[in-house]
Amino acid sequence: MIDYGRICLEEVKNPERFDGNTDFVKDAVDYAVKKVWDVMGDFVHYHPSPSSTDLMYKQLLNTPEMLGGDWVGGFWTGMLWLSYELTGNEVYRAVAEAQLEDYKKCVETPEAVWHHDIGFLYIPSSVAQYKLTGSQRAKKVSLKAAKLLAKRFCRNAGIIQVRNRNAQGDFIIDCCMNVPLLFWASTMTQDREYNYKAYSHLAQAIRCMVRDDASTYQCYQVDELTGEPVRGWQGQGYDDDSCWARGQVWIMYGLAIGYRYTQEKALLEVAKRVSNYFLNRLPSDLICDWDLMFTEDDVQRDTSSAPVAACALLELEKYLDADDPLREVYHNAAVSIMRNLAEHYTTKGVESNGLLQHGVYCKDKGDGGLGDDECCIWGDYFYMEGLTRLAKDWKMYW
Ligand code: GLY
């Protein structure tokens, strides 16, 4: 049983900040699909680096080691699938399909995939291909990937462990977005073990990482033999008491998707609580600062978290009762976030092979950081996913 009663459900402050006018969507979609078209030739069997340098992504070859050794390759393939959906242009589809072989080789080299980010890699790529085209080959690759992810489950601890070595009992909030691959595999195979592992991981994330005020830790260690909480820390966030913006949006979206698959009320209730916490800590243009302990306008934004939040809110909205006032609040908040990204944060007018400026991969905390105030490829993907959600009746890849 998930105890969500201890977690505060804040009332969303000043909902009049948000408005649901979507007249920006067409222009924003045109800019995004044109950018994907313009850079596509550089990324056929390459994927963009996680973040840009001076707003330019580097080309990384789709070898099992490069694709499987990091977490981001799937986002570019996902952008190709979204571009195909938005335009009907078969060229986007052909490039995305050409990459399936790269993902196949990668999952057949399991030692190259030594971490938990298998959902991020395979959902927007091979699962998307299966859902859009019915490709049995893509389904097979995706189910192999799910099997690999399921192997990382530590039964006593009830979690998907983050890495292979020196990490017994460690899990991170980002993985709430990997477990949808297990939920999906369960629906494909009727094997309830996948479902159990995904649900158990989310339940442990809620128990350990979501604080009573609905803020979150990024990283947590549980006792590997009993699953009992040991300690939380912040990883990519400001400090151990703060709330890393991207961690908060990963769990917002992960719980919304978890609810879709399980219909488990606790997941929806906690999704609302972490979402309201997020919405109450936005600066004036609604684009979150990189850590939610900051709410001021003169702090570094993280445009790679903002569209994840918008997608989460658009998903959550679907599961609220027709007369629940939060429905309109979530919808309008998501639209307003997307509008402000489209109008103030794209790469329009600057030299770049990315879509959104002012993202943060790892904030410079005196160690130089990484991709601090740059384009981030997952931000670009979720920005396009948010636009697609607003442009059409979109069937989820997750
Ligand atoms: N590790 C995933 C992220 O940076 O959000």
Side-chain angles (χ1 to χ4, degrees):
M1 276 296 278
I2 295 175
D3 168 24
Y4 60 83
R6 68 173 177 84
I7 304 169
C8 171
L9 177 63
E10 292 182 355
E11 195 176 324
V12 178
K13 291 181 199 145
N14 310 326
E16 65 283 356
R17 290 175 287 167
F18 311 132
D19 99 70
N21 182 349
T22 55
D23 63 2
F24 65 97
V25 171
K26 187 181 173 313
D27 283 354
V29 164
D30 289 348
Y31 179 72
V33 296
K34 168 90 169 47
K35 178 66 79 177
V36 174
W37 183 266
D38 289 346
V39 306
M40 191 160 53
D42 288 340
F43 298 103
V44 177
H45 289 288
Y46 289 85
H47 62 279
S49 49
S51 50
S52 61
T53 304
D54 298 331
L55 303 182
M56 292 301 288
Y57 291 117
K58 295 191 173 62
Q59 294 167 289
L60 302 177
L61 193 60
N62 284 353
T63 59
E65 289 71 24
M66 300 281 268
L67 196 55
D70 210 335
W71 67 287
V72 298
F75 296 120
W76 165 246
T77 317
M79 288 167 72
L80 293 166
W81 284 119
L82 292 171
S83 301
Y84 169 61
E85 287 207 65
L86 287 163
T87 62
N89 187 326
E90 297 283 341
V91 179
Y92 295 112
R93 172 178 172 164
V95 177
E97 283 179 335
Q99 294 174 2
L100 183 64
E101 196 53 33
D102 304 337
Y103 288 96
K104 180 172 178 292
K105 281 194 190 126
C106 179
V107 78
E108 288 170 353
T109 317
E111 62 280 10
V113 193
W114 48 269
H115 55 79
H116 64 166
D117 283 323
I118 303 171
F120 280 127
L121 285 174
Y122 282 86
I123 294 170
S125 56
S126 58
V127 174
Q129 180 169 344
Y130 168 66
K131 288 188 175 178
L132 289 172
T133 70
S135 160
Q136 291 305 305
R137 206 170 147 77
K139 180 179 171 185
K140 240 174 141 170
V141 169
S142 306
L143 285 175
K144 265 200 178 138
K147 216 174 194 167
L148 195 60
L149 178 59
K151 270 198 193 156
R152 305 194 67 78
F153 185 71
C154 306
R155 199 163 292 276
N156 289 348
I159 57 161
I160 303 282
Q161 187 169 297
V162 58
R163 283 183 302 277
N164 282 357
R165 288 176 291 277
N166 303 326
Q168 273 75 11
D170 287 2
F171 66 130
I172 67 173
I173 204 162
D174 320 30
C175 194
C176 295
M177 288 298 288
N178 286 317
V179 297
L181 183 63
L182 302 180
F183 284 127
W184 171 80
S186 194
T187 64
M188 290 293 105
T189 60
Q190 316 308 322
D191 181 347
R192 302 288 298 161
E193 266 291 291
Y194 285 118
N195 202 71
Y196 165 74
K197 289 174 179 175
Y199 178 75
S200 170
H201 182 93
L202 292 180
Q204 280 289 60
I206 291 170
R207 178 185 182 209
C208 300
M209 291 169 180
V210 182
R211 304 182 184 113
D212 289 352
D213 67 355
S215 67
T216 50
Y217 288 110
Q218 182 193 8
C219 310
Y220 211 92
Q221 184 185 24
V222 292
D223 186 300
E224 68 191 276
L225 298 179
T226 63
E228 285 305 307
V230 176
R231 73 183 181 106
W233 69 102
Q234 202 48 282
Q236 282 158 274
Y238 180 80
D239 69 18
D240 290 350
D241 297 324
S242 75
C243 181
W244 181 47
R246 203 151 63 251
Q248 194 80 4
V249 301
W250 288 144
I251 198 165
M252 282 165 62
Y253 201 4
L255 293 178
I257 298 167
Y259 178 74
R260 183 171 77 101
Y261 280 106
T262 62
Q263 301 294 299
E264 173 70 40
K265 182 170 181 256
L267 301 187
L268 184 61
E269 287 300 323
V270 182
K272 285 179 359 189
R273 284 156 171 76
V274 290
S275 297
N276 291 8
Y277 183 95
F278 176 86
L279 290 173
N280 283 339
R281 282 158 188 81
L282 298 179
S284 63
D285 67 0
L286 311 177
I287 307 304
C288 55
D289 291 338
W290 71 278
D291 189 294
L292 300 180
M293 70 171 279
F294 304 110
T295 56
E296 302 83 9
D297 283 344
D298 58 356
V299 173
Q300 172 68 50
R301 301 295 202 278
D302 178 17
T303 59
S304 77
S305 296
V308 181
C311 293
L313 294 167
L314 291 171
E315 189 59 27
L316 268 179
E317 169 201 354
K318 295 183 198 164
Y319 308 120
L320 302 181
D321 293 338
D323 58 355
D324 187 335
L326 270 181
R327 241 178 117 123
E328 193 184 356
V329 173
Y330 287 175
H331 181 83
N332 290 350
V335 172
S336 301
I337 289 169
M338 291 300 298
R339 169 189 286 279
N340 288 349
L341 287 171
E343 292 184 346
H344 304 293
Y345 287 94
T346 71
T347 50
K348 247 181 211 168
V350 294
E351 169 114 14
S352 175
N353 57 4
L355 280 177
L356 289 179
Q357 305 188 59
H358 307 303
V360 177
Y361 187 5
C362 298
K363 181 76 188 142
D364 181 358
K365 293 189 271 181
D367 54 2
L370 179 65
D372 184 355
D373 199 19
E374 289 286 347
C375 304
C376 294
I377 194 62
W378 58 92
D380 289 359
Y381 166 81
F382 284 103
Y383 174 64
M384 284 195 77
E385 184 186 304
L387 291 176
T388 312
R389 283 173 173 274
L390 296 178
K392 65 187 285 241
D393 180 19
W394 185 65
K395 306 267 181 306
M396 283 240 285
Y397 303 160
W398 300 94

